[in-house]
Amino acid sequence: MQSHTIMRFLARKYDAYGPVEQRHWVDLVADGAEDFKSKLSKVVYSADGLENLPEYLETTAPEWLAKFERLKGEIGADSTFFTSDAATHADLYVPVVLWCGSGLTSA
């Protein structure tokens, strides 16, 4: 199953993909969230995940969070959400990905 494909389909169907001229930005944010999630998945689901956890928490997660912050500043600085004042599927997906990794600690 390609959950991201299904998410895009539903976004188109229910008008949660944003204006046509902004959709490339919506894709950029959503694909970035998917890439960030894949980094998290490698830590959570791999046999040596605990060994990689400190690097993820100290380097990978902060780098990706900075990328999202920079994107917000570049493409949606004056808008409520990443790309416009209306929420898109990307705006809903980013917090889900962040929540997935929110309980990780290196303790």
Side-chain angles (χ1 to χ4, degrees), residues 38-102:
S38 74
K39 302 285 185 191
L40 173 63
S41 294
K42 288 179 184 175
V43 172
V44 173
Y45 297 113
S46 69
D48 59 348
L50 285 177
E51 295 171 18
N52 298 326
L53 182 59
E55 179 183 352
Y56 174 83
L57 293 173
E58 295 167 15
T59 305
T60 306
E63 284 176 1
W64 278 92
L65 294 173
K67 289 178 185 183
F68 286 118
E69 187 174 4
R70 189 175 63 246
L71 273 174
K72 174 62 176 138
E74 290 176 7
I75 62 177
D78 296 330
S79 60
T80 305
F81 298 100
F82 268 103
T83 61
S84 68
D85 285 326
T88 66
H89 71 282
D91 297 301
L92 302 174
Y93 189 48
V94 169
V96 168
V97 171
L98 295 176
W99 177 81
C100 288
S102 66

